[in-house]
Amino acid sequence: MTYTGWFVEQFGQGLGWFLANLTLILAIAFPVMVGVALAVYADRKIWAAMQMRRGPNVVGPFGLLQTFADAAKLFLKETIIPSGASTGVFLLAPMISFTLALVVWAVMPFDAGMVLADLNVGLLYVFAVSSMGVYGIIMSGWASNSKYAFLGGLRSAAQMVSYEVSMGFILVAVMMYAQSLNLSDIVMSQKGNVLGILNGNIFNPLLFPMAIMFFITALAETNRPPFDLPEAEAELVAGYQVEYSSMSFALFFLGEYANILFMCALIPTLFMGGWLPPLDLPFLYIVPGFVWFLIKMAFMFFVFAWVKAAVPRYRYDQLMRLGWKVFLPLSLFWVVVVSGWLMFTGHFATAPGAL
Amino acid sequence: MTATFAFYLFAITLLTGGLMVVTSKNPVHSVLWLIVCFFNAAGLFILLGAEFLAMLLVIVYVGAVAVLFLFVVMMLDIDFRALQRGALKNLPLGLAVSGVILAEVLLVASGWQPGTGVVMNDALAGPPAGMTNTQWIGSQLYTRYVFVFSMAGLLLLAAMIGAIVLTHRRRVGTKKQNISVQNARTPASAVGVGKAPVGQGVEL
């Protein structure tokens, strides 16, 4: 019996369905929040290690509880709303950021069948929600009624819209290989897809450049260094977050890291075979898929933190040039190459509705 | 039951949002209400079983078009009092135009018979077995309607080129970065060591 089926049997159709989904949502949202806390800690530790510092090491064993102490401090502070702010929009912005960062996890398959909403347009859902993430930032920038915040918001809007275009083309290439928009199907299509033994699009020479471009685009989409211009502290203090304090700031911060974690989960799903082991060998399947997924996620997060520690920030015109003049033509051209190759090799002949 | 509730929720929010778009005092608030409208329209698409269209509506309109609207409206400093100053003078013309539009809407609405169009929960036959919504749309759009589809694409291309031609201007006296020259710089050509005598400085 399925999980939802058990609840429906116990509590009736409507209530049972509601309770089952509520518990499942909590079962995703709570670990994501704990994951965010640990990710912030890991980020600071990795960053510190690369700069030969110790990083957080006072609160709890190895400083593990540092993030929780920071969160508690933020929760206890006073929320300040600037007198010139547009109050409604000002308060709505962090809520939107945080909600969108959690909502997008609904379609992420953690293991075979372990997904809250198995949408057949899952990839488009991810794309839609991540393209809406810009609203939290641009609304906060405008509503704060502050020059720094406004500049940060505008920068971020332009940056995210620019990189979404090439991100869309990269997703097109992946979905052409999988012939599906469902994330579980995309993962399963990578089973032994290269030489019959390697699991993962990243081992495919045609998709490897796409994977690299997607990683860089993901950095730009999540406002991570070297593309953290919306909050470039040297020029804009803290960008769009500058007028926020206490919980409203915490929501932005949590939303940002939840988005980063999501990107760390999406890259393995699209390019590294999701919950599948890297090699299609029977004994590797003894390890549960969930563990493989977490290992890949942790690896991607390490790479994110590595980039943050190692690469200096881009200048704004260079950022725009990279997005529009390098990634957009390159990804468009590569979509043509990939689709041409797939057409030539008869990949589309089995597609439903093919002529 | 849930579908009916969701329909009325989306529909009422959509209409309220539309009303707020035209009545908001602040143009930025108007755009934000417009986004609420788009979003609820996407919800209605999902109720009709057209999840692909719903996602496209969110991606294209909410994720791209409305962001640029918001961008422009935020940058413009619109003074509503100045805009409303000549309102009384133009009132007769405005009333005449809106009267014509109202008459047209009434003419169309009087000929409309409810219940013959789309009925709730009565989605079209749906995709053939083994085909998802997305594949169904693709298989229709690129085979049966390929010419109409290409014409629509060409129309959009023409509009895009027109917009670029109208707004593109060559400004004089501006300096641009030459990226290849910047990338080709080496420490040897960029860094020099010189002695600065007291009271004279250096010539750069």
Side-chain angles (χ1 to χ4, degrees):
Chain A
M1 193 191 300
T2 59
Y3 184 79
T4 315
W6 184 83
F7 270 89
V8 167
E9 201 165 87
Q10 297 290 314
F11 299 100
Q13 189 65 45
L15 185 68
W17 185 86
F18 177 75
L19 285 176
N21 278 297
L22 192 68
T23 46
L24 286 175
I25 289 168
L26 288 178
I28 293 177
F30 184 69
V32 167
M33 281 296 99
V34 176
V36 163
L38 294 178
V40 175
Y41 168 78
D43 209 10
R44 294 177 64 178
K45 270 291 191 191
I46 295 167
W47 206 8
M50 291 195 189
Q51 297 171 347
M52 298 173 92
R53 294 185 284 116
R54 282 174 189 275
N57 63 348
V58 175
V59 188
F62 310 107
L64 266 171
L65 298 177
Q66 179 68 49
T67 324
F68 297 98
D70 287 346
K73 185 198 77 173
L74 276 175
F75 291 157
L76 295 173
K77 278 189 163 181
E78 183 193 353
T79 307
I80 298 167
I81 299 173
S83 56
S86 173
T87 318
V89 182
F90 185 82
L91 290 178
L92 206 58
M95 293 181 203
I96 288 181
S97 278
F98 183 69
T99 314
L100 288 176
L102 283 186
V103 152
V104 72
W105 285 91
V107 293
M108 178 53 65
F110 298 98
D111 198 347
M114 211 164 133
V115 48
L116 177 63
D118 204 15
L119 296 185
N120 59 15
V121 287
L123 197 54
L124 283 182
Y125 174 86
V126 168
F127 196 52
V129 174
S130 77
S131 72
M132 279 167 65
V134 66
Y135 281 110
I137 291 171
I138 195 169
M139 278 165 73
S140 65
W142 177 77
S144 303
N145 200 6
S146 150
K147 286 188 182 64
Y148 290 130
F150 190 54
L151 283 173
L154 288 184
R155 275 185 177 189
S156 167
Q159 173 180 336
M160 290 171 93
V161 169
S162 310
Y163 278 83
E164 253 156 38
V165 187
S166 56
M167 194 177 185
F169 282 121
I170 297 166
L171 295 184
V172 165
V174 174
M175 69 181 80
M176 275 194 304
Y177 261 96
Q179 291 199 13
S180 172
L181 291 168
N182 182 316
L183 287 175
S184 304
D185 288 352
I186 289 175
V187 171
M188 282 321 286
S189 77
Q190 298 175 38
K191 190 171 191 292
N193 68 336
V194 180
L195 304 174
I197 188 162
L198 293 163
N199 294 334
N201 282 332
I202 197 166
F203 302 118
N204 184 333
L206 270 177
L207 282 176
F208 179 72
M210 287 301 210
I212 302 294
M213 271 197 279
F214 190 83
F215 173 68
I216 298 172
T217 313
L219 287 177
E221 279 288 300
T222 51
N223 293 332
R224 279 287 281 193
F227 307 113
D228 60 338
L229 287 145
E231 47 201 279
E233 57 278 286
E235 314 148 36
L236 292 175
V237 193
Y240 60 92
Q241 304 168 337
V242 74
E243 301 290 345
Y244 283 86
S245 59
S246 174
M247 269 308 284
S248 48
F249 170 76
L251 287 184
F252 269 126
F253 194 74
L254 292 174
E256 198 180 309
Y257 268 87
N259 266 331
I260 291 165
L261 275 190
F262 183 78
M263 280 300 171
C264 295
L266 188 64
I267 295 172
T269 309
L270 295 181
F271 292 105
M272 293 153 81
W275 66 78
L276 302 168
L279 295 172
D280 198 22
L281 297 172
F283 70 92
L284 285 175
Y285 286 92
I286 297 166
V287 180
F290 186 66
V291 176
W292 282 117
F293 188 77
L294 281 185
I295 289 172
K296 288 173 184 178
M297 230 175 115
F299 171 73
M300 279 321 297
F301 187 79
F302 174 76
V303 180
F304 265 64
W306 181 6
V307 170
K308 178 175 176 167
V311 184
R313 184 180 294 131
Y314 256 57
R315 212 171 55 204
Y316 196 71
D317 63 307
Q318 291 175 332
L319 172 89
M320 281 297 163
R321 177 178 167 273
L322 186 71
W324 287 107
K325 292 188 178 171
V326 180
F327 278 3
L328 179 59
L330 199 61
S331 56
L332 184 58
F333 172 71
W334 212 251
V335 164
V336 176
V337 169
V338 167
S339 54
W341 170 253
L342 291 179
M343 198 76 202
F344 182 67
T345 51
H347 185 74
F348 295 129
T350 56
L355 287 174
Chain B
M1 217 303 275
T2 321
T4 317
F5 174 74
F7 171 76
Y8 281 109
L9 182 74
F10 287 138
I12 290 171
T13 322
L14 199 155
L15 290 179
T16 318
L19 200 67
M20 294 305 284
V21 172
V22 286
T23 54
S24 287
K25 288 223 174 71
N26 193 325
V28 175
H29 291 176
S30 286
V31 179
L32 292 176
W33 280 111
L34 188 66
I35 293 157
V36 173
C37 287
F38 286 147
F39 202 68
N40 283 283
L44 288 177
F45 269 129
I46 288 181
L47 286 183
L48 284 171
E51 68 267 19
F52 180 73
L53 283 184
M55 290 303 151
L56 276 199
L57 189 74
V58 174
I59 291 170
V60 174
Y61 281 90
V62 179
V65 173
V67 172
L68 298 180
F69 269 14
L70 204 57
F71 213 87
V72 172
V73 170
M74 277 177 180
M75 304 280 262
L76 297 173
D77 194 14
I78 300 174
D79 185 1
F80 264 81
R81 268 178 303 175
L83 281 178
Q84 286 162 353
R85 211 163 281 150
L88 214 58
K89 198 177 67 188
N90 293 325
L91 194 64
L93 182 67
L95 280 179
V97 171
S98 50
V100 169
I101 294 173
L102 181 68
E104 284 176 353
V105 169
L106 284 179
L107 269 177
V108 172
S110 62
W112 177 61
Q113 287 180 347
T116 56
V118 178
V119 180
M120 204 187 322
N121 293 340
D122 183 36
L124 291 168
M131 211 190 252
T132 64
N133 192 306
T134 318
Q135 288 165 332
W136 192 36
I137 289 179
S139 68
Q140 295 295 309
L141 210 56
Y142 289 100
T143 54
R144 203 196 220 172
Y145 301 106
V146 65
F147 292 114
V148 187
F149 184 68
S150 320
M151 284 316 287
L154 277 181
L155 210 62
L156 284 174
L157 180 68
M160 193 171 82
I161 292 172
I164 293 172
V165 168
L166 284 178
T167 53
H168 188 76
R169 60 198 167 106
R170 198 172 292 279
R171 286 186 295 179
V172 286
T174 53
K175 287 184 176 172
K176 279 204 173 148
Q177 313 272 355
N178 190 340
I179 302 289
S180 52
V181 170
Q182 287 183 357
N183 285 344
R185 264 157 68 102
T186 55
S189 68
V191 182
V193 181
K195 275 213 161 73
V198 179
Q200 292 171 25
V202 284
E203 195 72 32
L204 286 174

